[in-house]
Amino acid sequence: MAFRRAEPPRFGILLGMSLHTASLRRRLVWLPIAAVAVLAPVGCGRLATGPAPKQVIYWTGWSAEEFNTQQRLVDEFNREHPGIQVQMLSQFGNSGYQKVRIAFAGGATPDVMSTIWADELAGYAMRGVLEPLDGYLKRSGRDLERDFTPGVARMLRVNGKVYGLCATTNTSFIAYNKAIFREAGLDPDRPPTTIAELDAAARACTRYDGRGSFVRYGFRPGGLALWAYVFGGQWVDPATGRITADHPGNLAALRWLASYAKTYDLKKMQVFQSTFGSDQTANGPFFVGKVAMWSTGEWAEQFVHRYAPKLEWGWFPLPSPPGGRSNCSSAGGSVFVIPAACKNKEAAWKFLDWFTRPKPVARFCSGIGNVPPVVEAGADPAFQQSALFRFAVNLSRSRNTFGPPGTPIWPTYAREIGRVEEKVMLGGGDPVALLADLQRRMTREQLDALRDLRQ
Amino acid sequence: MRGRSHPFTPSPLRPGKRRASRGAQLTGLAFAAPWIIGFVVFFAYPVIASAYYSLCSFDAIRPPRFIGFENYRRMFFEDDLFWKSLWNTLYMVVAGLPVGLVASLGIALLLNRKVKGMTVYRTIYYLPSITPVVATSILWLWLLNPEMGLINIALGKMHLMQPGWLTDPAWAKAALILMGLWGAGGGMVIYLAALQDVPESLTEAAALDGAGKLQQFRHVTLPMLSPVILFNLIMGLIGSFQYFTQAYVMTSGGPQDSTMFYALHLFNRAFLDFRMGYASAMAWVLFLVTLVCALLVFKTSVRWVYYAGEGR
């Protein structure tokens, strides 16, 4: 894919304007000069005591307790680096992430941000608004593939260049209720390893009442985007960048999901599921023993600990079919980037470099209950004390960990994959036709995006 | 040049008056300037710009690329979600809007009786319409829960069918319409004000002529209310075409796109997919559809709206 730096960013997308900033900037240039002329006498006394620290504005996507955990690390960085003052601002939630887009459009970006989802990284990188980090990494003696887990490293490269670093990542696996396994006649210490065993366990654990309504169900698979990899599929050809929605592996995964729609009344299952709270409340179906197996991640531990401390539970990686990929997991989450328009790149890099080193990463991840994307950080005792985290850290190092593929349209693509899955699971749609249609539409969407980037 | 007066020569008649009026004009303009500038900068320019962007491929970061009517062609011939969302939105207009209009009129009629403590009842019925939509939406997520929601528990007690509401594509829009009735108080207040204006002499005259309650309503009250009904209809029409918040908060367009409304699809195209040009084109189509519907309503309104003093 051809890659070029962007035109100077345009001003004021909020107003729907397309006013070029150059002339405006030329005029505004006098503003700081005038300000300095006016304020110089005031500041003279301070200048004598040495240069003021360089300010690095950092937008974080974390909030509440997670923000505080990060703030402690930022404070530590500021203490260790008297020449740099990092100021962290929380841009939380969807509106925060949308603000990033508007900031890029207006050329008014901070110096560092982690308010970018991995899903969006390729899109921003290809639009030329992110600083490539290869040179910085090299000068700091770092190596992406050596320092980071394989899935994360792959996700951070766009067209061969590194555009961001991660301080956290997640894993995907299945948690199971050992008591239900035992009651259903399954060995609680031998969870399923193949798709056939998973299906059988799901059937064995499902119970109905006299009216045919669910009393408990075994498993409701979801997330075609990830299961496709389990079945040997892929969404984008990593070598050519071509869309491969109709890959035989994707189709096999979708057919398998559809088999659940045939075996169970998924609408009824959904209604039954909605009786309970979400997976993050005390009333979540897994916590109250209404589902035997739960697609989840390492965060499950703190919820089980909080809501169902007496639950007898275990976990296992996503089972795979013959010829599929074992130990599949997903990578993703927030990515730290330096915008191309950043004026203070060296200082910004110093902070980014420091924050993504093993020690701060280990402290941040253990503080907020995430898995570290930095290989060395995984050895930290904080993760080795918990059996679940030992398992999750191992899983995150799997070669079969997949982050968002490097296409600029991934947010759209991912949403459309979800729609296809829903159509099959709840609407009885035809997997072959739906994937062929997805292939056609996404190929065109990507062509459009690439044509825009090439101009 | 002889014989023609200079254009700026003050007219011999009342020489001071014209200058003063121009001065007054400028003063007036100066006072109106904040609004005029605001209108031009924040409204007129974006509207014109969006018309241009609708002919472009534009991701809000890189410069727009002119592609003619391609966005419109795609929308009409290749985007299944465009038609689906348009259909869903029309459903809300055709099915949801009349239900809302009738409900608020009905409540207004009930609250127009001379009963003790009426102001309290009116306040109670009006209150929900000033609760923030997001808060109401979350409340209704619970009320509409198929198993634990109060609505289905009540239906169950009466041995009636308990729909899946927001989890069932066939019922999701109906659930949103039902929820919309919760905000009927807004329209009710306007009807109430109009009902106070129906002259008692007319209903009395009708009663003396032997008209029953229903006939009085049909031939006196309703015609007197018709201008207000037209107002509520037009405002409701515009509001229904822009239906967004509830779907954004409660369903994100699901299940199976059954609550994917036009404005939500537009929002997704603009802010999730970076397709500002496409979204602008969608906005223009929505504007035209709304305009045509509003004009049709106005056109037919001569037949059913009665303005007192029109001599009909």
Side-chain angles (χ1 to χ4, degrees), chain A residues 101 127 274 444 448 452, chain B residues 57 59 65 74 78 271:
Chain A
R101 244 159 253 190
R127 286 180 174 91
S274 73
R444 200 191 51 208
D448 283 351
D452 284 350
Chain B
S57 184
D59 64 12
R65 179 169 61 89
R74 289 268 173 91
E78 293 175 17
F271 293 101

Side-chain angles (χ1 to χ4, degrees), chain A residues 6-7 15-18 101 105 127 129 271 274-275 412 415 419 422 426-427 444-445 448-449 452-453 455, chain B residues 42 45-46 49 53 57 59-63 65 74 78 81 145-148 255-257 269 271 273 275:
Chain A
E7 301 276 305
L15 315 183
M17 287 184 173
S18 137
R101 244 159 253 190
R127 286 180 174 91
V129 292
V271 168
S274 73
T275 317
T412 312
R415 191 185 65 230
R419 280 183 65 216
E422 199 185 28
L426 295 174
R444 200 191 51 208
E445 188 91 7
D448 283 351
D452 284 350
L453 294 172
Q455 66 168 322
Chain B
F42 294 113
Y45 182 82
Y53 290 148
S57 184
D59 64 12
I61 290 180
R62 314 245 327 165
R65 179 169 61 89
R74 289 268 173 91
E78 293 175 17
L81 213 47
N145 185 298
E147 294 266 321
M148 293 201 312
Q256 292 176 66
D257 304 329
R269 287 304 271 167
F271 293 101
D273 302 349
R275 298 245 163 224

Side-chain angles (χ1 to χ4, degrees), chain A residues 222-246:
Chain A
L224 173 62
L226 177 60
W227 281 105
Y229 289 109
V230 175
F231 281 78
Q234 64 182 25
W235 296 108
V236 173
D237 183 340
T240 61
R242 263 191 61 244
I243 300 284
T244 55
D246 55 0

